[in-house]
Amino acid sequence: MQKIPTNSLSSAKAELPLDFTGPHITAGASSAHRLYQALCEMIVSGLVMPGEPLPPSRTLAGQTGFRRNAVVTAYERLIADGFAQATVGSGTFVAARIPARAAATKKPKVIVETPKQGALSLGCTHIDERAVQRFRAFVGRRMRAFGGEHLHYGDPRGSRELRVAIADHLLSARGLRCDPDQIMLTSGTLHTLRIVLGALLKPSDQVWCEDPGYPTARKAITQCGYRTIPVPVDAQGLQVAKGRTAAPHARAAYVTPSHQFPLGVQMSMPRRLELLDWAKQAGAFVFEDDYDSEFRYDGAPLMSLAGIDHLQRVIYMGTFAKTLFPGLRIGYCALPERLIGDVTAARAALDRFPATLMEGAVADMLNSGAFAANLKRVRKLYREARDALAETLEAASDGALSVPVPSQGLHLVARFDPSVASAVAAEAKQAADAEGWLLADTYARARPLPGFVLGFSGHAVPQLVAAAERLAKESRARLRAKGRQARRA
């Protein structure tokens, strides 16, 4: 055990009794994380007393051999987690009261991913441990610099700092050029729909929705008092001509053009231009839900609808639920300039303004490069999970399921032959006790295709493979049972 002797912590040169070899240290972790763990162990073990000073970061860096920025990061995490406190001009001190959870376990942990849903569930995410560490540090720093912006009602669109960071991100990631004044922060896609539709539409106005499509968005639009018009989807995306026939004077359309939910098709460029032409002619607006564009695995995505349209008739919607974690409850939209006043007023009337405490930390993640670094690492994990799930379903189902491998996104679709009854999928899913959705449940009016919508993000590969094997086995069994019944009939 590497021990640094201590005499008195009252001196700036005092050395700390740090242990870097015990079971509390995560092998292979970063220097900052190992130093944080050693400091925590020292504090909860009572080797230093509450209220005692910790050495300056430069001094501790010299004593331990770690870089100073690693020491600063470790101190920031100690403060954020309640193990230490900082006083301007005086330095950093052991907290007067150690957090009860840490004192009881004597082993602080960083919980990176613990989704309660089973494998194949949709909407689960993973955030890299390094990103968690950076986010903790940013939150701690923002709390220590707590300012007057949290003490009064703010801009209904949210903090300008985060809106500027989002505008920069959209330009680099999606080719969408917009002013930060056009960005509004929300708690997510459904919140965005409620605010913006409320500012633009009258009760009973018609809204095109993809069929099949995202059932939760369709339900939200209906509950707001608008009439949803199911428009069929084919291999090129929303069939605009059928939308024109069904409801030519609809006031809005909700679409997922980059990666259609659930089928995964990408709206073709001719179909995109056709949709924008309809919106211009009808005086309607298009809601572009770009819910997973950051997770592209093969090739470059087509430009966003909003980028093609230059934010004239398109409201672009995004969220940090998938790229960071759902618990943030931070989403955003990019608005056409002429809508800013009406939508801002609608937001102020609905819930005044967004929560402010996390905005600065998210801006720090975007501006520091930590956001992009997390995406790069997580994208690799999701690609491996996608491939494992698709390969297992194809092999274990023995031809019963067709599994197109998506080039983007966080879910895939496993389909039976269209001639198979939807009940087969429902029976197989129940018998396998599988998570995920039935593909049939995403349809509103069109004839449902039999199959499953299965999530692969945020799940460990062994659990995904085991769940996929059970589902494939039951799918094969149910299909054969139906075949025997048909032959006897």
Side-chain angles (χ1 to χ4, degrees):
M1 181 172 78
Q2 175 189 344
K3 286 265 192 178
I4 302 177
T6 181
N7 296 315
S8 169
L9 294 179
S10 61
S11 166
K13 294 184 179 179
E15 298 183 350
L16 300 177
L18 297 173
D19 175 8
F20 293 99
T21 61
H24 55 280
I25 297 297
T26 301
S30 66
S31 297
H33 187 53
R34 286 184 286 119
L35 179 56
Y36 166 79
Q37 290 176 317
L39 287 165
C40 286
E41 180 70 9
M42 175 192 70
I43 292 170
V44 300
S45 297
L47 298 178
V48 290
M49 299 301 293
E52 288 200 82
L54 297 174
S57 58
R58 192 182 304 277
T59 301
L60 187 56
Q63 294 169 357
T64 60
F66 292 133
R67 294 180 180 273
R68 190 184 177 198
N69 62 353
V71 178
V72 171
T73 299
Y75 274 5
E76 287 175 343
R77 288 196 57 201
L78 284 178
I79 294 166
D81 289 349
F83 292 99
Q85 57 192 55
T87 304
V88 177
S90 298
T92 305
F93 299 80
V94 178
R97 295 186 62 186
I98 299 171
R101 61 173 181 82
T105 62
K106 301 269 181 125
K107 187 178 180 181
K109 289 185 178 181
V110 175
I111 304 300
V112 176
E113 53 167 336
T114 54
K116 301 249 190 259
Q117 301 95 329
L120 306 179
S121 294
L122 279 70
C124 297
T125 62
H126 170 95
I127 181 168
D128 185 82
E129 184 172 332
R130 282 165 285 187
V132 172
Q133 293 175 13
R134 296 294 300 278
F135 189 72
R136 280 177 178 269
F138 291 140
V139 171
R141 185 178 303 163
R142 291 286 176 160
M143 287 302 295
R144 292 193 300 277
F146 191 93
E149 69 274 15
H150 305 302
L151 303 178
H152 56 76
Y153 295 102
D155 189 322
R157 293 168 298 178
S159 77
R160 183 169 181 83
E161 181 183 16
L162 181 51
R163 289 189 284 117
V164 168
I166 290 172
D168 291 342
H169 168 69
L170 291 178
L171 179 60
S172 62
R174 300 298 285 124
L176 174 56
R177 186 180 300 276
C178 63
D179 190 274
D181 286 344
Q182 295 174 264
I183 302 290
M184 182 177 70
L185 305 180
T186 68
S187 65
T189 299
L190 302 181
H191 191 210
T192 299
L193 282 171
R194 178 175 291 274
I195 293 169
V196 183
L197 285 170
L200 301 181
L201 273 59
K202 302 186 299 292
S204 298
D205 276 346
Q206 296 173 319
V207 180
W208 290 2
C209 291
E210 296 165 325
D211 189 18
Y214 184 36
T216 308
R218 189 164 56 224
K219 184 182 299 184
I221 294 168
T222 300
Q223 289 182 343
C224 287
Y226 311 115
R227 295 172 56 198
T228 55
I229 306 298
V231 180
V233 173
D234 62 15
Q236 296 187 65
L238 184 92
Q239 298 185 50
V240 178
K242 292 193 175 182
R244 285 180 179 271
T245 300
H249 303 296
R251 295 280 290 117
Y254 167 80
V255 293
T256 53
S258 294
H259 184 233
Q260 200 275 333
F261 187 92
L263 297 181
V265 301
Q266 187 178 67
M267 186 181 287
S268 67
M269 186 58 72
R271 198 67 64 79
R272 290 171 185 241
L273 297 176
E274 187 181 1
L275 177 61
L276 295 176
D277 285 344
W278 164 77
K280 183 176 180 180
Q281 294 165 9
F285 289 93
V286 177
F287 287 79
E288 178 181 14
D289 187 350
D290 208 27
Y291 67 100
D292 63 5
S293 64
E294 290 89 351
F295 299 101
R296 181 79 179 175
Y297 309 110
D298 305 294
L302 289 175
M303 182 180 289
S304 65
L305 272 177
I308 300 170
D309 177 61
H310 303 296
L311 281 177
Q312 296 298 307
R313 287 278 163 190
V314 177
I315 293 96
Y316 179 95
M317 302 188 296
T319 174
F320 292 106
K322 307 295 190 298
T323 53
L324 287 175
F325 50 93
L328 272 176
R329 302 308 301 143
I330 296 180
Y332 54 89
C333 62
L335 301 164
E337 284 188 24
R338 64 178 178 275
L339 299 184
I340 293 173
D342 289 344
V343 173
T344 301
R347 172 59 182 279
L350 182 65
D351 63 350
R352 285 205 168 180
F353 70 107
T356 60
L357 278 176
M358 290 294 109
E359 291 176 345
V362 175
D364 289 339
M365 290 289 287
L366 287 165
N367 293 331
S368 68
F371 179 81
N374 178 65
L375 281 182
K376 183 178 180 180
R377 293 188 290 263
V378 169
R379 193 181 292 120
K380 181 176 183 293
L381 293 177
Y382 290 174
R383 180 175 187 147
E384 292 171 355
R386 175 201 67 173
D387 293 346
L389 177 58
E391 290 168 7
T392 302
L393 288 169
E394 286 274 17
S397 68
D398 194 24
L401 294 172
S402 171
V403 190
V405 179
S407 60
Q408 178 176 313
L410 307 175
H411 77 274
L412 56 73
V413 172
R415 287 180 263 188
F416 291 94
D417 185 272
S419 63
V420 174
S422 294
V424 172
E427 292 170 5
K429 183 175 183 295
Q430 182 176 10
D433 192 23
E435 299 290 341
W437 294 6
L438 292 172
L439 182 56
D441 290 342
T442 66
Y443 284 80
R445 185 177 298 166
R447 181 180 181 273
L449 291 173
F452 314 100
V453 185
L454 307 173
F456 53 79
S457 63
H459 302 296
V461 170
Q463 281 70 44
L464 274 178
V465 169
E469 288 176 341
R470 291 194 302 272
L471 183 60
K473 176 183 176 182
E474 293 297 341
S475 296
R476 190 175 66 240
R478 293 301 180 280
L479 196 60
R480 288 174 177 171
K482 292 293 182 183
R484 289 193 296 270
Q485 291 175 6
R487 287 194 294 273
R488 286 198 295 269

